[in-house]
Amino acid sequence: MNVRLLVMAATLFASLSLSGPGHANDEDGECQNPSTQVQMNECAAIEAHTADVELSVAFNRARDHLAVIEENTPKEWKGVQAALLSAQRAWITYRDEHCRAQGLRFGGGSILPLIVNACLAQLTRERTRQLKELAEEG
């Protein structure tokens, strides 16, 4: 089980390292080549936070885009903004619990923050892409 855990963590961390702009918050450059579990955990937390900021921007753009559409929608079909907000709240609950389960399935330990934050970053980036499509940003 330890080998499986290490392979999963390495795979998750590698995908984060290649995922893009998350390193902007890495003041010491340690996320370019982290050498300790603590550094890997911190870098994964930075990636998750960066993905969350990008998600907020995409959500606001999608909400604003849908508001314009809703202005020209017949009264009986209004509600797209409320639906988006409801969907986003449900998605956040799903994301958080899914990633918590991902981490806990390994029984905790020092790798738990890496597993959870890598999961959060991955799912958040996927949701950001969905919101960009909804706002017709591609």
Side-chain angles (χ1 to χ4, degrees):
M1 174 123 162
N2 286 339
V3 172
R4 183 174 165 221
L5 177 63
L6 290 174
V7 169
M8 180 181 176
T11 303
L12 288 171
F13 190 75
S15 70
L16 287 176
S17 297
L18 300 172
S19 66
H23 302 298
N25 295 329
D26 178 25
E27 295 174 7
D28 299 327
E30 292 176 349
C31 290
Q32 296 299 323
N33 192 16
S35 59
T36 68
Q37 185 64 54
V38 170
Q39 288 173 342
M40 286 187 249
N41 292 347
E42 289 172 355
C43 294
I46 289 169
E47 288 289 343
H49 174 74
T50 300
D52 227 17
V53 169
E54 294 167 357
L55 177 73
S56 292
V57 170
F59 177 81
N60 289 333
R61 286 183 179 155
R63 184 194 61 214
D64 294 347
H65 178 73
L66 294 176
V68 170
I69 291 172
E70 195 163 44
E71 287 176 9
N72 301 315
T73 301
K75 185 178 180 180
E76 65 271 11
W77 293 102
K78 291 200 184 281
V80 67
Q81 290 182 81
L84 176 65
L85 181 59
S86 179
Q88 190 66 7
R89 286 178 177 161
W91 178 84
I92 288 170
T93 298
Y94 162 77
R95 177 199 64 184
D96 292 351
E97 291 303 310
H98 176 77
C99 291
R100 182 172 163 261
Q102 287 287 355
L104 292 175
R105 73 186 183 146
F106 292 103
S110 63
I111 200 167
L112 182 121
L114 172 61
I115 300 297
V116 171
N117 283 312
C119 177
L120 290 170
Q122 178 186 8
L123 291 181
T124 301
R125 291 195 196 297
E126 289 172 13
R127 179 64 177 157
T128 299
R129 281 191 293 278
Q130 293 169 354
L131 291 170
K132 284 181 176 181
E133 287 175 9
L134 194 58
E136 298 181 345
E137 293 181 15

